[in-house]
Amino acid sequence: MPENSIPKEAAFQIINDELMLDGNPRLNLASFVTTWMEPECNKLIMDAINKNYVDMDEYPVTTELQNRCVNMIAHLFNAPLGESEAAVGVGTVGSSEAIMLAGLAFKRKWQNKRKAEGKPYDKPNIVTGANVQVCWEKFARYFEVELKEVKLREGYYVMDPAKAVELVDENTICVAAILGSTLNGEFEDVKLLNDLLVEKNKETGWDTPIHVDAASGGFIAPFLYPELEWDFRLPLVKSINVSGHKYGLVYAGIGWVIWRSKDDLPEELIFHINYLGADQPTFTLNFSKGFNV
């Protein structure tokens, strides 16, 4: 910490000069994000950058915009909603936060069921392919869930649904399938996974669900492959995450998680706060949140 302050112009010049040593974002083709938006979007961002939009009472229109996005995405992913029923979901800081929230919902729902049955609930696990993005490993480590990975093999670089179902046991909170693998962009066979898991659930009496990590494919499959069944058309798919910044013309930092229904998001994970005004339900990992377009 310097002993004395310096003029704002000097501070700007020092920081600006240092930032010149960064890479050129327009040349960055390797970080799963795009780096250009239309000038109108830049203006909207700058006009709203001073809003802390977690304060829904103060910024109701911003909240309404988020709710519209959640509803549009839920319908795009074929959520079983009534004509006037609101979708269940939330905007997040990319798919990493979305996956943390979805994983917490699965863990809590599994724990509640085990408690009600009088069974141990201290050793949850989650089944994924070894090709998952690092945020799944973070979720498992941060929230004390065993990560059971299906190993990849030569010529098959995504999760094998049959091997994934073999790893499922009574402590499995969910199986995570990827629609758009980090390694090669390939879609995993969510339909086959659902069918095999339905059979295993019938045999065992379990109700192991599926989460679809559609960060890289959620805004591609509905348009290019509308007949592909990977979303809420499959009964065991209980939640889906998707990123907004992997498809072009959007800066990094926006994502969503959508749940199939209210029953799939335990009520005790939703906080109701009133010290900013009216009652405000919130389910996020961070409280303060800047404006995302």
Side-chain angles (χ1 to χ4, degrees):
M1 186 73 72
E3 288 291 331
N4 302 301
S5 63
I6 61 176
K8 60 183 183 296
E9 295 84 0
F12 167 83
Q13 194 62 54
I14 291 170
I15 296 172
N16 186 65
D17 289 349
E18 288 199 45
L19 289 175
M20 290 179 69
L21 300 176
D22 268 348
N24 184 345
R26 296 285 285 276
L27 301 178
N28 178 7
L29 304 178
S31 64
F32 296 93
V33 299
T34 48
T35 55
W36 186 87
M37 292 182 77
E38 288 99 337
E40 292 79 7
C41 294
N42 288 337
K43 187 175 188 315
L44 282 173
I45 291 172
M46 295 310 298
D47 287 347
I49 200 167
N50 58 349
K51 294 180 181 179
N52 180 14
Y53 91 86
V54 73
D55 189 349
M56 303 174 191
D57 217 30
E58 188 69 26
Y59 308 117
V61 177
T62 303
T63 301
E64 173 60 19
L65 290 174
Q66 175 190 246
N67 293 341
R68 289 180 199 170
C69 290
V70 167
N71 275 287
M72 286 191 287
I73 296 168
H75 282 91
L76 183 66
F77 294 167
N78 295 289
L81 299 170
E83 188 171 334
S84 59
E85 184 180 359
V88 182
V90 66
T92 60
V93 183
S95 276
S96 293
E97 183 187 12
I99 284 168
M100 301 291 171
L101 297 177
L104 282 171
F106 282 118
K107 180 181 179 183
R108 184 58 59 90
K109 188 155 187 173
W110 173 83
Q111 287 177 324
N112 289 345
K113 185 174 184 292
R114 298 284 290 182
K115 290 177 184 178
E117 295 171 345
K119 296 178 180 178
Y121 54 90
D122 59 334
K123 294 182 179 179
N125 69 66
I126 187 169
V127 176
T128 73
N131 55 312
V132 292
Q133 214 263 359
V134 69
C135 60
W136 284 101
E137 298 176 45
K138 287 184 177 181
F139 164 75
R141 192 176 302 177
Y142 294 168
F143 296 104
E144 299 181 317
V145 176
E146 179 190 1
L147 185 65
K148 300 173 75 172
E149 291 185 332
V150 177
K151 302 303 179 185
L152 309 183
R153 63 178 187 272
E154 184 70 31
Y156 197 91
Y157 303 111
V158 292
M159 180 178 70
D160 184 330
K163 291 186 177 180
V165 173
E166 288 176 7
L167 292 178
V168 170
D169 59 29
E170 63 179 350
N171 293 322
T172 302
I173 62 174
C174 81
V175 181
I178 303 178
L179 199 76
S181 171
T182 300
L183 301 181
N184 60 6
E186 187 176 349
F187 291 0
E188 294 182 342
D189 194 338
V190 188
K191 175 70 164 61
L192 178 57
L193 176 64
N194 178 86
D195 294 346
L196 293 174
L197 203 49
V198 165
E199 290 303 313
K200 182 153 190 174
N201 285 343
K202 284 181 181 177
E203 294 171 4
T204 60
W206 304 333
D207 56 358
T208 308
I210 295 172
H211 174 86
V212 179
D213 179 356
S216 297
F219 289 138
I220 293 176
F223 303 102
L224 295 187
Y225 314 105
E227 74 289 343
L228 182 68
E229 295 183 39
W230 64 272
D231 52 19
F232 293 120
R233 285 170 288 182
L234 303 174
L236 291 183
V237 174
K238 303 299 183 182
S239 55
I240 300 171
N241 69 275
V242 64
S243 293
H245 54 243
K246 293 190 172 82
Y247 306 93
L249 307 182
V250 179
Y251 297 138
I254 182 66
W256 296 270
V257 56
I258 312 293
W259 283 273
R260 183 184 194 89
S261 69
K262 291 181 180 179
D263 293 338
D264 298 306
L265 176 56
E267 176 65 30
E268 64 263 33
L269 292 180
I270 302 174
F271 287 82
H272 293 266
I273 59 171
N274 58 18
Y275 47 77
L276 295 179
D279 177 69
Q280 299 177 22
T282 175
F283 181 39
T284 57
L285 291 182
N286 50 303
F287 190 70
S288 298
K289 184 178 290 189
F291 186 83
N292 286 312
V293 174

mmCIF file of all heavy atoms in Angstrom, residues 166-187:
data_model
loop_
_atom_site.group_PDB
_atom_site.id
_atom_site.type_symbol
_atom_site.label_atom_id
_atom_site.label_comp_id
_atom_site.label_asym_id
_atom_site.label_seq_id
_atom_site.Cartn_x
_atom_site.Cartn_y
_atom_site.Cartn_z
ATOM 1 N N GLU A 166 -23.408 -49.028 -14.239
ATOM 2 C CA GLU A 166 -22.776 -50.055 -13.403
ATOM 3 C C GLU A 166 -22.198 -49.455 -12.124
ATOM 4 O O GLU A 166 -22.157 -50.115 -11.071
ATOM 5 C CB GLU A 166 -21.671 -50.775 -14.182
ATOM 6 C CG GLU A 166 -22.170 -51.700 -15.270
ATOM 7 C CD GLU A 166 -21.022 -52.306 -16.067
ATOM 8 O OE1 GLU A 166 -19.842 -52.089 -15.672
ATOM 9 O OE2 GLU A 166 -21.281 -52.980 -17.076
ATOM 10 N N LEU A 167 -21.731 -48.204 -12.188
ATOM 11 C CA LEU A 167 -21.123 -47.557 -11.029
ATOM 12 C C LEU A 167 -22.145 -47.016 -10.038
ATOM 13 O O LEU A 167 -21.805 -46.658 -8.911
ATOM 14 C CB LEU A 167 -20.212 -46.407 -11.483
ATOM 15 C CG LEU A 167 -18.935 -46.789 -12.239
ATOM 16 C CD1 LEU A 167 -18.182 -45.531 -12.665
ATOM 17 C CD2 LEU A 167 -18.035 -47.665 -11.370
ATOM 18 N N VAL A 168 -23.396 -46.920 -10.468
ATOM 19 C CA VAL A 168 -24.443 -46.360 -9.609
ATOM 20 C C VAL A 168 -24.732 -47.300 -8.449
ATOM 21 O O VAL A 168 -24.862 -48.513 -8.624
ATOM 22 C CB VAL A 168 -25.727 -46.113 -10.431
ATOM 23 C CG1 VAL A 168 -26.898 -45.755 -9.518
ATOM 24 C CG2 VAL A 168 -25.499 -45.000 -11.448
ATOM 25 N N ASP A 169 -24.833 -46.736 -7.237
ATOM 26 C CA ASP A 169 -25.251 -47.513 -6.082
ATOM 27 C C ASP A 169 -26.254 -46.693 -5.280
ATOM 28 O O ASP A 169 -26.694 -45.628 -5.722
ATOM 29 C CB ASP A 169 -24.048 -47.947 -5.233
ATOM 30 C CG ASP A 169 -23.221 -46.767 -4.714
ATOM 31 O OD1 ASP A 169 -23.794 -45.671 -4.511
ATOM 32 O OD2 ASP A 169 -22.008 -46.930 -4.501
ATOM 33 N N GLU A 170 -26.602 -47.176 -4.101
ATOM 34 C CA GLU A 170 -27.649 -46.506 -3.322
ATOM 35 C C GLU A 170 -27.214 -45.132 -2.819
ATOM 36 O O GLU A 170 -28.044 -44.330 -2.384
ATOM 37 C CB GLU A 170 -28.063 -47.384 -2.140
ATOM 38 C CG GLU A 170 -26.943 -47.638 -1.131
ATOM 39 C CD GLU A 170 -27.406 -48.497 0.038
ATOM 40 O OE1 GLU A 170 -28.627 -48.714 0.136
ATOM 41 O OE2 GLU A 170 -26.558 -48.929 0.835
ATOM 42 N N ASN A 171 -25.912 -44.840 -2.870
ATOM 43 C CA ASN A 171 -25.403 -43.553 -2.411
ATOM 44 C C ASN A 171 -25.183 -42.546 -3.551
ATOM 45 O O ASN A 171 -24.660 -41.454 -3.312
ATOM 46 C CB ASN A 171 -24.081 -43.740 -1.669
ATOM 47 C CG ASN A 171 -24.264 -44.490 -0.364
ATOM 48 O OD1 ASN A 171 -25.246 -44.288 0.338
ATOM 49 N ND2 ASN A 171 -23.329 -45.379 -0.051
ATOM 50 N N THR A 172 -25.571 -42.903 -4.765
ATOM 51 C CA THR A 172 -25.377 -42.017 -5.908
ATOM 52 C C THR A 172 -26.458 -40.939 -5.923
ATOM 53 O O THR A 172 -27.648 -41.241 -5.997
ATOM 54 C CB THR A 172 -25.414 -42.817 -7.225
ATOM 55 O OG1 THR A 172 -24.402 -43.823 -7.198
ATOM 56 C CG2 THR A 172 -25.175 -41.889 -8.421
ATOM 57 N N ILE A 173 -26.027 -39.686 -5.862
ATOM 58 C CA ILE A 173 -27.002 -38.585 -5.843
ATOM 59 C C ILE A 173 -27.495 -38.265 -7.251
ATOM 60 O O ILE A 173 -28.617 -37.787 -7.419
ATOM 61 C CB ILE A 173 -26.430 -37.323 -5.177
ATOM 62 C CG1 ILE A 173 -25.223 -36.770 -5.934
ATOM 63 C CG2 ILE A 173 -26.038 -37.625 -3.723
ATOM 64 C CD1 ILE A 173 -24.702 -35.446 -5.401
ATOM 65 N N CYS A 174 -26.653 -38.507 -8.274
ATOM 66 C CA CYS A 174 -27.090 -38.345 -9.658
ATOM 67 C C CYS A 174 -25.994 -38.833 -10.586
ATOM 68 O O CYS A 174 -24.842 -39.028 -10.172
ATOM 69 C CB CYS A 174 -27.455 -36.892 -9.978
ATOM 70 S SG CYS A 174 -26.050 -35.816 -10.339
ATOM 71 N N VAL A 175 -26.355 -39.026 -11.854
ATOM 72 C CA VAL A 175 -25.389 -39.272 -12.918
ATOM 73 C C VAL A 175 -25.357 -38.024 -13.782
ATOM 74 O O VAL A 175 -26.405 -37.525 -14.198
ATOM 75 C CB VAL A 175 -25.769 -40.491 -13.773
ATOM 76 C CG1 VAL A 175 -24.722 -40.719 -14.863
ATOM 77 C CG2 VAL A 175 -25.919 -41.738 -12.908
ATOM 78 N N ALA A 176 -24.159 -37.491 -14.033
ATOM 79 C CA ALA A 176 -24.017 -36.267 -14.822
ATOM 80 C C ALA A 176 -23.583 -36.620 -16.240
ATOM 81 O O ALA A 176 -22.544 -37.240 -16.445
ATOM 82 C CB ALA A 176 -22.993 -35.335 -14.177
ATOM 83 N N ALA A 177 -24.407 -36.238 -17.207
ATOM 84 C CA ALA A 177 -24.083 -36.448 -18.619
ATOM 85 C C ALA A 177 -23.726 -35.114 -19.246
ATOM 86 O O ALA A 177 -24.220 -34.059 -18.831
ATOM 87 C CB ALA A 177 -25.265 -37.079 -19.348
ATOM 88 N N ILE A 178 -22.862 -35.150 -20.263
ATOM 89 C CA ILE A 178 -22.392 -33.921 -20.899
ATOM 90 C C ILE A 178 -22.928 -33.828 -22.318
ATOM 91 O O ILE A 178 -22.781 -34.756 -23.116
ATOM 92 C CB ILE A 178 -20.858 -33.861 -20.935
ATOM 93 C CG1 ILE A 178 -20.268 -33.979 -19.526
ATOM 94 C CG2 ILE A 178 -20.392 -32.556 -21.576
ATOM 95 C CD1 ILE A 178 -18.768 -33.975 -19.501
ATOM 96 N N LEU A 179 -23.532 -32.701 -22.628
ATOM 97 C CA LEU A 179 -23.964 -32.414 -23.995
ATOM 98 C C LEU A 179 -22.970 -31.408 -24.570
ATOM 99 O O LEU A 179 -23.167 -30.205 -24.496
ATOM 100 C CB LEU A 179 -25.387 -31.849 -23.995
ATOM 101 C CG LEU A 179 -26.111 -31.941 -25.332
ATOM 102 C CD1 LEU A 179 -26.587 -33.374 -25.569
ATOM 103 C CD2 LEU A 179 -27.282 -30.983 -25.404
ATOM 104 N N GLY A 180 -21.880 -31.964 -25.101
ATOM 105 C CA GLY A 180 -20.800 -31.128 -25.614
ATOM 106 C C GLY A 180 -19.563 -31.285 -24.757
ATOM 107 O O GLY A 180 -19.248 -30.435 -23.930
ATOM 108 N N SER A 181 -18.847 -32.377 -24.954
ATOM 109 C CA SER A 181 -17.680 -32.684 -24.127
ATOM 110 C C SER A 181 -16.598 -31.629 -24.256
ATOM 111 O O SER A 181 -16.344 -31.090 -25.340
ATOM 112 C CB SER A 181 -17.104 -34.049 -24.530
ATOM 113 O OG SER A 181 -15.868 -34.282 -23.887
ATOM 114 N N THR A 182 -15.953 -31.327 -23.135
ATOM 115 C CA THR A 182 -14.848 -30.378 -23.131
ATOM 116 C C THR A 182 -13.723 -30.828 -24.054
ATOM 117 O O THR A 182 -13.048 -30.004 -24.665
ATOM 118 C CB THR A 182 -14.294 -30.216 -21.703
ATOM 119 O OG1 THR A 182 -15.335 -29.742 -20.857
ATOM 120 C CG2 THR A 182 -13.150 -29.231 -21.652
ATOM 121 N N LEU A 183 -13.529 -32.131 -24.204
ATOM 122 C CA LEU A 183 -12.402 -32.638 -24.979
ATOM 123 C C LEU A 183 -12.612 -32.514 -26.478
ATOM 124 O O LEU A 183 -11.704 -32.124 -27.207
ATOM 125 C CB LEU A 183 -12.147 -34.113 -24.619
ATOM 126 C CG LEU A 183 -11.830 -34.408 -23.147
ATOM 127 C CD1 LEU A 183 -11.569 -35.899 -22.952
ATOM 128 C CD2 LEU A 183 -10.630 -33.593 -22.676
ATOM 129 N N ASN A 184 -13.819 -32.854 -26.952
ATOM 130 C CA ASN A 184 -14.019 -32.886 -28.410
ATOM 131 C C ASN A 184 -15.379 -32.366 -28.866
ATOM 132 O O ASN A 184 -15.704 -32.437 -30.053
ATOM 133 C CB ASN A 184 -13.816 -34.312 -28.942
ATOM 134 C CG ASN A 184 -14.775 -35.316 -28.328
ATOM 135 O OD1 ASN A 184 -15.680 -34.946 -27.568
ATOM 136 N ND2 ASN A 184 -14.596 -36.590 -28.639
ATOM 137 N N GLY A 185 -16.206 -31.861 -27.943
ATOM 138 C CA GLY A 185 -17.508 -31.329 -28.321
ATOM 139 C C GLY A 185 -18.587 -32.364 -28.533
ATOM 140 O O GLY A 185 -19.736 -32.026 -28.842
ATOM 141 N N GLU A 186 -18.271 -33.643 -28.354
ATOM 142 C CA GLU A 186 -19.227 -34.722 -28.632
ATOM 143 C C GLU A 186 -20.357 -34.765 -27.598
ATOM 144 O O GLU A 186 -20.145 -34.502 -26.417
ATOM 145 C CB GLU A 186 -18.475 -36.059 -28.646
ATOM 146 C CG GLU A 186 -19.308 -37.247 -29.081
ATOM 147 C CD GLU A 186 -18.486 -38.528 -29.178
ATOM 148 O OE1 GLU A 186 -17.237 -38.434 -29.114
ATOM 149 O OE2 GLU A 186 -19.079 -39.612 -29.313
ATOM 150 N N PHE A 187 -21.550 -35.110 -28.056
ATOM 151 C CA PHE A 187 -22.701 -35.275 -27.170
ATOM 152 C C PHE A 187 -22.690 -36.680 -26.584
ATOM 153 O O PHE A 187 -22.522 -37.661 -27.326
ATOM 154 C CB PHE A 187 -24.020 -35.089 -27.928
ATOM 155 C CG PHE A 187 -24.292 -33.685 -28.401
ATOM 156 C CD1 PHE A 187 -23.402 -32.646 -28.149
ATOM 157 C CD2 PHE A 187 -25.443 -33.398 -29.108
ATOM 158 C CE1 PHE A 187 -23.656 -31.355 -28.583
ATOM 159 C CE2 PHE A 187 -25.708 -32.117 -29.554
ATOM 160 C CZ PHE A 187 -24.819 -31.094 -29.294
#
